[in-house]
Amino acid sequence: MAKSSFSKVDEYGFERGDDFNYEAYEEFMSEYLPVLARRSRKWARLMINPTSLKRGPLIKRYMRKGVPAEHRSQVWLWASGAAQLREKMGPNLYRELLDEPHDDEVVSSICVDLPRTFPDNIFFNQSDQSELRNQLFRVLCAYAHHNKRVGYCQGLNYIAGLLLLVTKSEENSFWLLKILVEQILPDYYGPTMEGVVVDIDVLGELVRLKAPAIHRQVSDLGLPWPVVTTKWFICLFAEVLPVETVLRIWDCLFYEGSKIIFRVCLTLIKNQTSTLLTCDDFGSLASAFKSLTNDSSTLHCHPFMKSIFQVPGPLSTATIIRLREKISQERHKS
């Protein structure tokens, strides 16, 4: 095979493993680069006057088709409401939080997780002298001090770390983290992780409604949904799916909210229906679920993102809210 024109490190600093399929990636990029060029031109025209951005069908379509890397930080801040929140709460909040004393126990927990964050990323694995690791430490400490109810929770290191890689700004990462934790994904992070527990059950119910054969298979073989999906929810697919696919998911997540997570989960599961239904024991089913995220379709982020709005079928925010309320009530009764 001819030598690949792609390096062993991607544009965000993630090292490609020895088993990385360069041939498949070359094929994917030959199709995706023209898409990126078209999207970049369209966004460039839109961002000539970013203050004119308004929610509506056009922007929704643009978000679903992907935000170019050079505009992601600014667009995420706008789409999520983080920019408006920063203006309301004061632009100096992050720096003020850094100057305040921090809880020693929380600081210790963060320090333990820093070396575990993206160990395959050259910007994070340069020992304790890594500037990006120091930035991650500051963002997590500031947020833990700001939101003492949540404090620091495992999973936040991956989310804040990827935000830093994309935005290249501690302050922007702090505000986007705040929006994610407090508005888009309330109760996901904290001592009980109640939001994650409920949403995993919501996913199980959605699978029962939209893919009953798979739901019966999972139930009959006794595989708990949390075993295979907890990391999907806690890390928002970071360290689960290819990084460009994750960023395309986050484009939609910041604009449309948490229902995007369910669309991705359902698509991953339904796309592998035949594989899952051929499993005949707990172990083979668990392995099949683990391999869902390594399927070649997840690398092809553009068609994959198109599929998440087709494969699951209709899925409204109202449906998600109703199922959350039902499951929460059932949990509190038991």
Side-chain angles (χ1 to χ4, degrees):
M1 186 180 76
K3 184 173 174 151
S4 172
S5 59
F6 292 95
S7 74
K8 293 186 176 181
V9 178
D10 72 15
E11 62 181 305
Y12 297 101
F14 290 97
E15 297 171 312
R16 296 180 168 122
D18 294 337
D19 59 347
F20 186 80
N21 190 332
Y22 286 93
E23 189 174 358
Y25 191 70
E26 293 262 12
E27 181 183 351
F28 157 62
M29 288 304 292
S30 69
E31 299 171 356
Y32 192 45
L33 284 174
V35 173
L36 288 175
R38 286 197 304 273
R39 302 315 306 165
S40 183
R41 288 193 296 271
K42 290 189 175 185
W43 274 98
R45 289 195 292 270
L46 200 64
M47 297 302 286
I48 290 172
N49 183 17
T51 57
S52 67
L53 290 175
K54 286 186 173 52
R55 297 182 72 87
L58 175 67
I59 298 298
K60 187 177 187 178
R61 187 169 73 250
Y62 272 41
M63 298 296 288
R64 287 184 174 188
K65 290 186 175 183
V67 181
E70 64 268 25
H71 297 305
R72 268 202 172 108
S73 181
Q74 188 175 6
V75 171
W76 283 1
L77 286 166
W78 167 79
S80 66
Q84 298 89 317
L85 184 63
R86 178 171 58 189
E87 188 176 330
K88 179 181 177 182
M89 296 190 69
N92 298 322
L93 176 62
Y94 177 66
R95 293 298 163 188
E96 291 168 357
L97 289 167
L98 290 180
D99 291 337
E100 295 179 9
H102 299 143
D103 183 277
D104 289 341
E105 188 174 339
V106 171
V107 169
S108 178
S109 297
I110 291 171
C111 287
V112 167
D113 275 354
L114 288 177
R116 302 171 180 170
T117 307
F118 299 132
D120 60 342
N121 187 287
I122 62 171
F123 300 119
F124 281 104
N125 64 15
Q126 299 170 348
S127 77
D128 293 335
Q129 301 308 310
S130 164
E131 178 53 30
L132 205 62
R133 191 184 286 185
N134 293 334
Q135 291 177 11
L136 178 60
F137 172 76
R138 291 192 290 269
V139 170
L140 293 174
C141 283
Y143 186 74
H145 183 67
H146 173 63
N147 186 340
K148 292 184 174 62
R149 184 183 70 83
V150 170
Y152 172 69
C153 178
Q154 284 188 332
L156 293 180
N157 54 322
Y158 288 108
I159 294 169
L162 193 51
L163 288 172
L164 281 166
L165 287 170
V166 172
T167 67
K168 300 177 175 58
S169 162
E170 290 180 46
E171 190 172 337
N172 289 349
S173 297
F174 168 82
W175 287 103
L176 288 167
L177 183 67
K178 178 175 171 63
I179 284 285
L180 278 169
V181 173
E182 297 173 18
Q183 296 187 22
I184 297 177
L185 306 165
D187 300 322
Y188 263 43
Y189 306 97
T192 65
M193 290 186 153
E194 176 75 9
V196 171
V197 174
V198 168
D199 276 3
I200 289 174
D201 284 348
V202 169
L203 175 61
E205 182 65 8
L206 288 171
V207 173
R208 186 185 70 79
L209 295 170
K210 293 177 174 290
I214 294 176
H215 188 272
R216 282 194 301 274
Q217 177 82 327
V218 171
S219 298
D220 291 346
L221 295 181
L223 180 63
W225 286 107
V227 169
V228 292
T229 63
T230 295
K231 190 173 183 179
W232 299 3
F233 283 90
I234 289 178
C235 295
L236 307 180
F237 302 104
E239 281 285 272
V240 173
L241 294 174
V243 64
E244 184 60 30
T245 304
V246 175
L247 299 180
R248 289 288 301 274
I249 292 168
W250 286 18
D251 288 343
C252 297
L253 179 65
F254 280 121
Y255 188 80
E256 299 186 51
S258 60
K259 71 178 179 182
I260 295 300
I261 299 173
F262 296 102
R263 284 197 167 278
V264 175
C265 291
L266 288 167
T267 301
L268 288 169
I269 292 167
K270 291 186 74 174
N271 278 351
Q272 299 298 320
T273 297
S274 58
T275 301
L276 295 172
L277 294 183
T278 58
C279 297
D280 54 9
D281 58 44
F282 181 99
S284 63
L285 185 61
S287 295
F289 264 101
K290 188 175 181 181
S291 68
L292 293 184
T293 56
N294 297 322
D295 185 78
S296 61
S297 65
T298 65
L299 176 66
H300 295 247
C301 58
H302 203 57
F304 178 78
M305 289 306 296
K306 186 176 181 180
S307 73
I308 75 167
F309 298 105
Q310 297 172 339
V311 172
L315 183 60
S316 66
T317 299
T319 297
I320 301 296
I321 292 171
R322 178 175 57 80
L323 289 174
R324 281 172 172 163
E325 290 173 349
K326 174 190 169 191
I327 288 165
S328 292
Q329 289 171 3
E330 290 171 353
R331 281 176 51 78
H332 292 140
K333 282 179 187 175
S334 58

